[in-house]
Amino acid sequence: MFDHVKFGVRDFALSKRFYVKALESIGVTDITDWPPDGAELCQPNGETSLCIYQTDETPAHLHIAFVAESRQQVDAFYRAALDAGGQCNGQPGLRPQYSGRYYAAFVLDPDGHNIELVYHEPEA
């Protein structure tokens, strides 16, 4: 559905470090810098990307959910995002209010955006 998602951040260097470290757990390793203060992050040969740029505007908070390949990947993302300076907004676990298979973790990025990783399959 999406080609890319682009949004502004208050501290580009801080946000770039956060996203590079947090999203490495899901294979996001291709980073293209867009001077003066922008970056595009994607998986190798990926068809979608996340783009951030420095802004003085106060953007509305976003909720971005990335697809996980396993529950273990959700757990790894959560740890990596916290290590990168994110704040817990929901520990890894099932979310029965959505479905019996919805396993997700939620972390707030440096600007307060709600970043989620979700796995939709039952446990193997």
Side-chain angles (χ1 to χ4, degrees):
M1 175 185 256
F2 295 105
D3 182 78
H4 64 277
V5 174
K6 180 179 180 180
F7 59 93
V9 297
R10 294 181 300 220
D11 184 332
F12 174 73
L14 178 66
S15 292
K16 181 180 175 187
R17 280 191 303 273
F18 170 82
Y19 282 103
V20 166
K21 186 170 184 175
L23 298 181
E24 184 178 47
S25 64
I26 61 169
V28 175
T29 57
D30 286 0
I31 292 87
T32 303
D33 288 313
W34 299 103
D37 288 320
E40 181 174 18
L41 299 90
C42 62
Q43 295 169 322
N45 302 313
E47 296 181 14
T48 60
S49 63
L50 178 72
C51 305
I52 59 172
Y53 66 95
Q54 177 72 43
T55 184
D56 292 328
E57 298 175 13
T58 303
H61 288 164
L62 302 172
H63 177 161
I64 301 172
F66 293 93
V67 175
E69 296 175 0
S70 68
R71 290 184 179 191
Q72 293 77 21
Q73 195 175 49
V74 171
D75 297 343
F77 158 80
Y78 178 76
R79 288 188 303 273
L82 292 182
D83 288 346
Q87 295 179 355
C88 175
N89 199 32
Q91 294 181 355
L94 284 171
R95 302 300 193 270
Q97 67 270 33
Y98 303 137
S99 82
R101 302 179 331 198
Y102 199 105
Y103 189 88
F106 303 85
V107 178
L108 299 178
D109 80 355
D111 285 292
H113 300 303
N114 187 23
I115 309 304
E116 173 185 0
L117 192 67
V118 60
Y119 182 66
H120 289 282
E121 299 300 324
E123 188 171 19

Coordinates of all heavy atoms in Angstrom, one line a residue, residues 8-10 53 55-61 111 113:
G8 N 8.6 14.6 9.9 CA 9.6 15.5 10.5 C 9.9 15.1 11.9 O 9.0 14.5 12.7
V9 N 11.1 15.4 12.3 CA 11.6 15.1 13.7 C 12.3 16.4 14.2 O 12.8 17.2 13.5 CB 12.6 13.9 13.7 CG1 11.8 12.6 13.3 CG2 13.8 14.1 12.8
R10 N 12.3 16.5 15.6 CA 12.9 17.7 16.2 C 14.4 17.6 16.2 O 15.1 18.7 16.1 CB 12.3 17.9 17.6 CG 10.8 18.3 17.5 CD 10.3 18.5 18.9 NE 10.6 17.2 19.7 CZ 9.7 16.8 20.6 NH1 8.6 17.4 20.9 NH2 10.0 15.6 21.2
Y53 N 13.1 13.7 8.5 CA 13.8 15.0 8.2 C 13.7 15.9 9.3 O 12.7 15.9 10.1 CB 13.3 15.6 6.9 CG 11.9 16.1 7.0 CD1 11.6 17.4 7.3 CD2 10.8 15.2 6.8 CE1 10.3 17.9 7.4 CE2 9.5 15.7 6.9 CZ 9.2 17.0 7.2 OH 7.9 17.4 7.4
T55 N 12.9 19.2 11.3 CA 11.9 20.3 11.2 C 11.8 21.0 12.5 O 12.0 20.4 13.6 CB 10.5 19.8 10.7 OG1 9.6 20.9 10.5 CG2 9.9 18.8 11.8
D56 N 11.4 22.3 12.5 CA 11.1 23.1 13.7 C 9.6 23.0 14.0 O 9.2 23.5 15.0 CB 11.6 24.5 13.5 CG 13.1 24.6 13.4 OD1 13.8 23.8 14.1 OD2 13.6 25.5 12.7
E57 N 8.9 22.5 13.1 CA 7.4 22.3 13.3 C 7.2 21.3 14.4 O 8.0 20.4 14.6 CB 6.7 21.9 12.0 CG 6.8 22.8 10.9 CD 6.2 22.3 9.6 OE1 5.5 21.2 9.7 OE2 6.5 22.8 8.5
T58 N 6.0 21.4 15.0 CA 5.6 20.4 16.0 C 4.6 19.5 15.3 O 3.5 19.8 15.2 CB 5.0 21.1 17.2 OG1 5.9 22.0 17.8 CG2 4.6 20.0 18.3
P59 N 5.2 18.3 14.8 CA 4.3 17.4 14.1 C 3.3 16.7 15.0 O 3.7 16.4 16.2 CB 5.2 16.5 13.4 CG 6.5 16.5 14.2 CD 6.5 17.9 14.8
A60 N 2.2 16.3 14.5 CA 1.3 15.5 15.3 C 1.9 14.1 15.5 O 2.7 13.7 14.6 CB -0.1 15.4 14.6
H61 N 1.6 13.5 16.6 CA 2.2 12.1 16.8 C 1.6 11.1 15.8 O 0.4 11.2 15.5 CB 1.9 11.7 18.3 CG 2.7 12.4 19.3 ND1 2.4 12.5 20.6 CD2 3.8 13.2 19.1 CE1 3.2 13.2 21.2 NE2 4.1 13.7 20.4
D111 N 10.5 11.7 19.5 CA 9.5 12.7 19.3 C 8.1 12.3 19.9 O 7.1 13.0 19.7 CB 9.3 13.1 17.9 CG 10.5 14.0 17.4 OD1 10.6 15.1 17.8 OD2 11.3 13.5 16.6
H113 N 6.4 9.6 18.8 CA 5.7 8.8 17.9 C 5.6 7.3 18.3 O 6.6 6.8 18.9 CB 6.4 8.8 16.5 CG 6.5 10.2 15.9 ND1 5.4 11.0 15.7 CD2 7.5 10.9 15.5 CE1 5.8 12.2 15.2 NE2 7.1 12.1 15.0

